[in-house]
Amino acid sequence: MRTALRPALIYEPKALKLPPIQSSLSKPSLQQMSSMSNPTGHSAATTPETSHTVLNFANALWRVRRPKPFVLVIEGEVGQESTAPSDYLHDQLLLPEWREAFYQLVDATGLVVCLNVHTAHPTYRDVRGRSSKGRLSQGEYYHHDGCTGPVKPRFVEIRCPIQPQTRGVATAVAPHHDVVKAMVQVLPAELAATSALAGQDMRLETINMMDYAALDHLQGLITRTVRKKLNAEGARSYFRQVDAAANAYFEPWALGESRFIANANSGITMQHRRAYQAPHTGGVANGHLVKRWTNEELLLPGQVVDQALIAALCSEEGDEVDGERAEGCYLGAH
């Protein structure tokens, strides 16, 4: 009998840490990670490993690098450097016997990037929402996916398919605590003095101690204040400063790139946003992105999609119509 599976209800993430040199995870395992920096203590001050190293995973050796402490970039399989892009993501990393170990790698790291992947897997769908020259879209504020519901996707996979047009709009990704600290750090004094924020304890040492619910609440207050008090380009300029202060991962999209962003777990919970690094004037051609909630939508044999959960999550992704929708979604005190 096929029974409905609600992964977010049965998954209990553990405080998993990437192994130091010459150590391993339980089966299915990361058998060896050579010269990898320890990802604990993800702060903007941590010095990352930028040289190429080798990851032994899923019975293969992978070329990897760590551009930031919370980022692991998988460039491809060792010995396959000159070959055309392939679907190593589904053919190897996400095979049923390795899938949970790969998911734990995302949980423990924060952001896992897979480059040079060519796939036509049917589970991906177009990213919804578009930005206008006026008011910012929901996706331009730092957010989790599924931010208003009680159940959030374990992580979100955002992908830039191989296509004729390159992607010029960036996606900034950073740890949730670092984002909120950066939002406070670069907040203009006149906004900090508004009635909504004047009574909030926004000392960095306090933010360091906040749980995710408290972070969400403070972040919602700040985001709504920025939204109300600044014009569109003023808000975009503010968030560009947040990107820098949070040490966000801000690499341009490569064709054939997938980014797995830890979205709601007890490990390294991240946030992301659509980010314009120049005034947004519209009318510029850009490659499109696709996405999926891989843990909830790419299922093992015998599992079925929780359609009610997926419908609830998708309902948050539409274009902003009247501003009230965004107040209840990314800008709510979730």
Side-chain angles (χ1 to χ4, degrees):
M1 177 181 297
R2 293 167 64 88
T3 57
L5 177 73
R6 296 174 181 265
L9 298 181
I10 67 170
Y11 170 65
E12 297 179 357
K14 298 178 175 59
L16 177 69
K17 297 180 180 179
L18 287 181
I21 301 172
Q22 304 295 330
S23 68
S24 63
L25 296 175
S26 59
K27 295 181 180 180
S29 65
L30 295 177
Q31 298 167 332
Q32 179 181 357
M33 184 176 292
S34 61
S35 304
M36 299 296 287
S37 60
N38 191 323
T40 58
H42 297 272
S43 69
T46 307
T47 301
E49 291 284 341
T50 56
S51 60
H52 287 74
T53 55
V54 173
L55 169 66
N56 189 333
F57 181 78
N59 294 327
L61 298 177
W62 304 93
R63 307 186 313 278
V64 299
R65 54 186 169 87
R66 293 293 297 272
K68 292 184 182 292
F70 55 87
V71 183
L72 175 67
V73 177
I74 302 175
E75 296 187 340
E77 192 173 353
V78 173
Q80 303 297 317
E81 290 84 352
S82 61
T83 60
S86 65
D87 194 2
Y88 68 80
L89 183 59
H90 298 92
D91 294 342
Q92 293 170 271
L93 299 181
L94 291 176
L95 286 176
E97 61 266 34
W98 297 106
R99 194 173 301 173
E100 179 57 29
F102 182 76
Y103 290 175
Q104 290 184 33
L105 179 61
V106 178
D107 290 334
T109 305
L111 171 63
V112 174
V113 178
C114 296
L115 300 179
N116 303 311
V117 175
H118 185 39
T119 183
H121 201 279
T123 53
Y124 296 102
R125 62 189 178 280
D126 286 339
V127 171
R128 299 183 184 181
R130 298 291 181 269
S131 301
S132 70
K133 290 181 289 184
R135 173 173 282 183
L136 277 64
S137 73
Q138 298 170 3
E140 290 185 73
Y141 301 99
Y142 273 103
H143 64 278
H144 303 291
D145 269 33
C147 62
T148 60
V151 179
K152 300 174 177 63
R154 182 174 175 180
F155 50 81
V156 57
E157 178 190 353
I158 306 176
R159 171 167 179 75
C160 185
I162 294 176
Q163 57 192 298
Q165 178 64 54
T166 58
R167 175 76 177 177
V169 180
T171 298
V173 185
H176 192 186
H177 270 92
D178 289 351
V179 168
V180 178
K181 286 189 289 185
M183 290 176 70
V184 170
Q185 179 182 338
V186 304
L187 187 67
E190 61 271 21
L191 299 191
T194 60
S195 58
L197 296 175
Q200 298 296 315
D201 185 351
M202 296 192 291
R203 293 174 298 171
L204 295 185
E205 56 267 29
T206 301
I207 297 173
N208 280 329
M209 300 299 294
M210 286 182 175
D211 61 19
Y212 287 126
L215 283 176
D216 280 340
H217 177 71
L218 177 59
Q219 184 176 36
L221 293 175
I222 296 173
T223 302
R224 286 195 298 276
T225 300
V226 168
R227 175 188 178 87
K228 292 175 181 177
K229 300 296 184 180
L230 300 180
N231 62 24
E233 284 309 316
R236 290 188 174 106
S237 176
Y238 167 76
F239 278 104
R240 285 193 283 270
Q241 296 176 63
V242 172
D243 296 338
N247 191 32
Y249 182 77
F250 203 84
E251 294 298 318
W253 280 98
L255 299 181
E257 173 182 358
S258 277
R259 298 182 184 180
F260 291 83
I261 304 169
N263 182 67
N265 58 24
S266 61
I268 310 302
T269 294
M270 312 294 286
Q271 288 193 317
H272 62 284
R273 77 179 194 94
R274 180 188 302 124
Y276 294 90
Q277 290 304 290
H280 179 44
T281 57
V284 178
N286 262 295
H288 73 283
L289 299 177
V290 296
K291 69 179 288 186
R292 66 182 175 189
W293 299 297
T294 314
N295 181 60
E296 289 76 18
E297 296 182 282
L298 183 66
L299 302 182
L300 297 171
Q303 298 177 343
V304 295
V305 174
D306 184 340
Q307 296 291 353
L309 172 62
I310 299 304
L313 297 175
C314 286
S315 70
E316 298 181 348
E317 296 193 307
D319 294 325
E320 182 181 335
V321 175
D322 55 10
E324 295 302 318
R325 177 180 169 80
E327 290 288 337
C329 186
Y330 299 135
L331 307 183
H334 44 286

